Amino acid sequence: MSAPDGGSAGAGTPGALDPHLWPSSAEVDAAGVLHLGGVGADRLVAEHGSPLYVLDEGDFRARARRFVQAFTDAFAAVGTEVDVYYAGKALLTVAVARWAHEEGLRIDTATGGELAVALRAGIPGPHIGLHGNNKSDDELTAALAAGVGRVVLDSADEVPRVAAAAAATGSRAPVMVRVTTGVHAGGHEYISTAHEDQKFGLSVAGGQAMEVLEAVAAHPDLDLVGIHSHIGSQILDPSGFEVAADKILRLRAELAGRTGDLVPEVDLGGGYGIAYLPGERPVDPAEIAGRVAEVVGRTCADLGTPLPRISIEPGRAVVGPAGVTLYTVGTVKQVRTGDAAVPERTYVSVDGGMSDNLRPALYGARYHAQVVSRRTGTEAVPARVVGKHCESGDVVVRDVQLPGEVRRGDVLAVPATGAYGRSMASNYNMVPRPPVVAVRAGTSRVLVRRETVEDLLGLDQG
Ligand SMILES: *Cc1c(COP(=O)(O)O)cnc(C)c1O
């Protein structure tokens, strides 16, 4: 192997990789080496160092296109159009923003920093959205000066603040209002955002959503372009989206009853779940698009209102499975647990950890790992992959079967780390953050370079 296009020519081991977990170009050669985008994991580590975030460009583009296609088709069938916004917070670099743009997506940002990346990438202002529950005046002004297509309001106090920023930039501000429908969804309390007792949005049931919608609609410097709902993240059951869509459309009709105007657009947010473990099944964009489109069509028919334009905001489902983290194994330790169920566990320490993937420590998120630099024997032992940080919660993969012979110098791959890995990374323990390297057609290129200790010392004013 390997075919430069990442095809299956050569001596691959078909079936060794769960296709839902790895980028579509991933394959293992006869020597047991993982190839991503046609580049061997051993070569990637030799060229770019370890640990390393690898991003499969073709896989990212294909997933982005699939969302556009699936939602465009499903909503065309009920009679409306869709814009897909890539949620940049999952992973935003200049190249990634350009890929999304080239595949027909727009970009959601949540801070001035993310906005700056999108603008550096040349994304047209009208194709950028600005979110955030605590936007600064500078962020609002920068967004309006860039001519963003929408600022998503998250509280009543933003109404006069956005209006003032609009007046200062001599424009009317296109505004959406983020509301909470009470629908709970997603994998973990921290990433479930549409129930009432949390910081995001304005409650429909509590009446604040309607108050702010009316205030925006009445304001001369604001242009109410839509109602926004984001119900959570890592959602595998589509019914939450259906219930939320129905509630938002009823709110839209009620608002029109008061103001005489139907808002033109409804944003149904992101949160589409992916597979993190072998055997898990991700949400199929076509299935979810079909089900939500049907609800939108039916509810609008019920209400006798024309269909709104729809937007969605996938992040994780576009970039998560396109990313793989490569680590190098250091210390391997047999730990006697004192637990009869697993009397001995192999602790495999890698050269990264919670600084490059915070999700296990933050949410108890679960991942998979595999030795990918050589062929190993079949004997597997209960293992835990841990990082190099000074925290016992510094776990990369809590439970995984690894080859009993796993040893120092092996390259370990953790799949499905493209989303919320690099973007949540820290410098804990003064560890420089790994680079993001894109692979495609047998070549690799650095999208974000590796930090150095000098970079970090450069921040320290002594
Ligand atoms: C985080 C977020 C998204 C993306 O969520 P994913 O789970 O990555 O798809 C979309 N919209 C909003 C408002 C968000 O906060």
Side-chain angles (χ1 to χ4, degrees):
M1 87 149 279
S2 69
D5 62 358
S8 57
T13 312
L17 298 170
D18 183 327
H20 294 294
L21 219 48
W22 298 86
S24 51
S25 72
E27 53 183 352
V28 176
D29 70 13
V33 174
L34 173 70
H35 291 244
L36 298 166
V39 190
D42 47 354
R43 201 179 114 200
L44 286 165
V45 166
E47 273 178 30
H48 301 288
S50 173
L52 184 61
Y53 298 111
V54 183
L55 197 57
D56 183 326
E57 177 178 346
D59 189 82
F60 177 99
R61 287 179 181 273
R63 287 177 202 280
R65 264 198 309 276
R66 208 169 302 145
F67 267 95
V68 172
Q69 193 70 54
F71 278 79
T72 301
D73 290 352
F75 280 90
V78 299
T80 190
E81 294 179 354
V82 179
D83 297 311
V84 180
Y85 285 74
Y86 170 61
K89 74 174 195 259
L91 175 66
L92 198 62
T93 77
V94 166
V96 166
R98 286 191 183 135
W99 299 344
H101 181 59
E102 285 164 12
E103 299 302 337
L105 285 76
R106 301 179 176 205
I107 307 284
D108 258 343
T109 63
T111 62
E114 290 177 4
L115 175 65
V117 177
L119 292 173
R120 171 73 61 86
I123 309 303
H127 286 203
I128 300 174
L130 179 69
H131 277 280
N133 67 300
N134 184 24
K135 306 171 196 77
S136 69
D137 290 336
D138 285 350
E139 287 171 327
L140 290 173
T141 303
L144 294 176
V148 300
R150 49 161 80 164
V151 175
V152 184
L153 297 198
D154 198 81
S155 60
D157 90 329
E158 280 192 310
V159 175
R161 291 180 55 236
V162 177
T169 55
S171 57
R172 264 163 71 88
V175 159
M176 278 195 165
V177 175
R178 178 165 174 177
V179 307
T180 52
T181 55
V183 177
H184 299 230
H188 189 283
E189 191 197 344
Y190 299 169
I191 50 178
S192 303
T193 53
H195 57 293
E196 310 292 350
D197 192 4
Q198 45 79 32
K199 73 174 186 174
F200 291 111
L202 292 148
S203 165
V204 174
Q208 291 104 326
M210 183 58 82
E211 279 168 32
V212 172
L213 283 164
E214 286 190 287
V216 172
H219 203 293
D221 295 319
L222 302 178
D223 192 8
L224 180 61
V225 296
I227 305 177
H228 183 282
S229 154
H230 173 72
I231 60 172
S233 203
Q234 186 52 16
I235 299 165
L236 293 165
D237 173 5
S239 55
F241 291 107
E242 297 175 310
V243 176
D246 179 79
K247 286 181 187 260
I248 299 295
L249 291 166
R250 289 179 194 284
L251 178 68
R252 173 175 176 257
E254 192 189 332
L255 177 67
R258 295 174 182 230
T259 64
D261 284 321
L262 260 185
V263 296
E265 187 164 339
V266 165
D267 190 305
L268 297 173
Y272 309 98
I274 65 170
Y276 282 103
L277 297 176
E280 287 184 344
R281 289 290 164 265
V283 163
D284 172 14
E287 189 206 325
I288 203 160
R291 286 181 53 171
V292 177
E294 201 206 305
V295 168
V296 169
R298 188 172 355 110
T299 305
C300 286
D302 265 9
L303 293 166
T305 50
L307 286 148
R309 189 176 184 89
I310 297 292
S311 45
I312 60 163
E313 304 174 331
R316 183 192 313 270
V318 175
V319 73
V324 174
T325 306
L326 299 180
Y327 298 101
T328 303
V329 172
T331 300
V332 177
K333 196 195 272 187
Q334 305 305 324
V335 173
R336 301 218 175 89
T337 62
D339 172 358
V342 187
E344 194 171 89
R345 194 189 307 278
T346 302
Y347 273 71
V348 176
S349 295
V350 294
D351 49 356
M354 64 190 292
S355 57
D356 60 75
N357 188 355
L358 184 60
R359 297 187 66 255
L362 185 62
Y363 308 132
R366 296 169 70 205
Y367 284 88
H368 176 65
Q370 247 168 263
V371 172
V372 295
S373 48
R374 64 186 173 101
R375 183 172 284 294
T376 53
T378 50
E379 186 228 353
V381 297
R384 181 161 295 166
V385 181
V386 296
K388 63 180 289 164
H389 297 282
C390 305
E391 286 273 338
S392 53
D394 172 29
V395 171
V396 178
V397 182
R398 189 162 189 83
D399 286 302
V400 64
Q401 296 282 314
L402 287 179
E405 60 184 274
V406 60
R407 62 180 184 231
R408 171 177 289 275
D410 281 340
V411 176
L412 211 63
V414 175
T417 57
Y420 308 109
R422 180 60 172 79
S423 70
M424 284 188 168
S426 77
N427 294 119
Y428 181 40
N429 289 134
M430 277 295 275
V431 168
R433 287 173 296 179
V436 181
V437 168
V439 290
R440 176 191 178 179
T443 61
S444 64
R445 88 176 156 113
V446 177
L447 303 188
V448 179
R449 75 156 168 80
R450 183 181 297 281
E451 274 176 343
T452 63
V453 171
E454 285 66 41
D455 288 330
L456 305 184
L457 284 173
L459 300 171
D460 188 322
Q461 300 299 294

